[in-house]
Amino acid sequence: CRYISRPALSEQRLSLTDSGKVRYQLKTPYQDGTTHVFFTPLDFIGKLAALVPVPRLNLTRFYGVFAPNAKVRAEVTASQRGKNSPRLAEHLKDSDKPYHARSMSWAQRLKRVFNIDITVCEACEKTNVKIITCITDPAVIHKILAHLDKQTLLEAKNDSLMPPLRAPPATASFSDYIIQRDFDFGA
């Protein structure tokens, strides 16, 4: 986790000079002996912006036999998807429609990544539970969650073996006590 969450530069080696330039001390000197690099603040921000990855683009790029359009990809991957895959050849023989690779459903992704199987009912442990809908409206989600909270509170009240909650005992006020400040310990 420390390696992944580590920043792109070290703040201890970053400083601002008296002339307003940004000075970055290199971890190891260059071959020509350079130990520090100086930038104007705008250039420094430009260099930092270059480190930010492009949105909606995979950071892992495959090449060789694992590349998306490699001719032998179907032979070396477990899913057997690629240009010359047996599934693609089967589909192209049977229909005149273009081939579209089927992506994983949300249920499959949850099971694969988090080991959560939403196709099994927790209450009755039946399998092959079907997904009816995906609710994305926040108002509807809050309404459902509020209803479920009320239901669990009612069930907890009925199933509870503890006596009902009561108020804490009343605390005595300071006027009920006599404070004696001069103690005689017999010394």
Side-chain angles (χ1 to χ4, degrees), residues 56-127:
R56 294 174 293 283
L57 186 69
N58 290 334
L59 296 179
T60 306
R61 302 218 168 80
F62 296 101
Y63 60 94
V65 294
F66 292 111
N69 286 331
K71 292 179 181 177
V72 292
R73 178 182 166 89
E75 296 173 22
V76 294
T77 57
S79 64
Q80 294 186 339
R81 290 185 358 200
K83 265 187 170 179
N84 297 328
S85 72
R87 293 179 187 175
L88 178 61
E90 242 177 64
H91 181 76
L92 291 176
K93 269 194 275 181
D94 296 340
S95 74
D96 54 347
K97 293 180 185 176
Y99 175 72
H100 294 286
R102 186 182 72 84
S103 61
M104 286 194 292
S105 68
W106 276 105
Q108 290 170 327
R109 289 178 197 273
L110 284 171
K111 187 171 183 181
R112 180 176 179 183
V113 176
F114 299 110
N115 200 18
I116 300 171
D117 193 2
I118 63 170
T119 60
V120 176
C121 178
E122 292 177 3
C124 60
E125 297 182 4
K126 288 185 181 176
T127 56

Side-chain angles (χ1 to χ4, degrees), residues 13-158:
R13 293 187 273 146
L14 186 65
S15 61
L16 197 60
T17 63
D18 294 334
S19 62
K21 289 197 171 197
V22 177
R23 179 179 78 177
Y24 189 70
Q25 181 183 355
L26 301 173
K27 189 174 182 180
T28 55
Y30 287 159
Q31 285 182 349
D32 63 355
T34 305
T35 58
H36 293 79
V37 184
F38 296 90
F39 301 102
T40 63
L42 192 61
D43 285 340
F44 181 69
I45 291 173
K47 299 284 186 189
L48 282 179
L51 296 174
V52 176
V54 180
R56 294 174 293 283
L57 186 69
N58 290 334
L59 296 179
T60 306
R61 302 218 168 80
F62 296 101
Y63 60 94
V65 294
F66 292 111
N69 286 331
K71 292 179 181 177
V72 292
R73 178 182 166 89
E75 296 173 22
V76 294
T77 57
S79 64
Q80 294 186 339
R81 290 185 358 200
K83 265 187 170 179
N84 297 328
S85 72
R87 293 179 187 175
L88 178 61
E90 242 177 64
H91 181 76
L92 291 176
K93 269 194 275 181
D94 296 340
S95 74
D96 54 347
K97 293 180 185 176
Y99 175 72
H100 294 286
R102 186 182 72 84
S103 61
M104 286 194 292
S105 68
W106 276 105
Q108 290 170 327
R109 289 178 197 273
L110 284 171
K111 187 171 183 181
R112 180 176 179 183
V113 176
F114 299 110
N115 200 18
I116 300 171
D117 193 2
I118 63 170
T119 60
V120 176
C121 178
E122 292 177 3
C124 60
E125 297 182 4
K126 288 185 181 176
T127 56
N128 296 330
V129 175
K130 292 185 181 178
I131 300 168
I132 299 170
T133 185
C134 179
I135 301 171
T136 57
D137 183 21
V140 176
I141 293 171
H142 288 299
K143 192 173 180 180
I144 291 170
L145 291 176
H147 173 73
L148 291 174
D149 282 344
K150 287 178 189 174
Q151 231 177 14
T152 55
L153 286 175
L154 287 174
E155 288 172 3
K157 248 186 202 178
N158 294 338

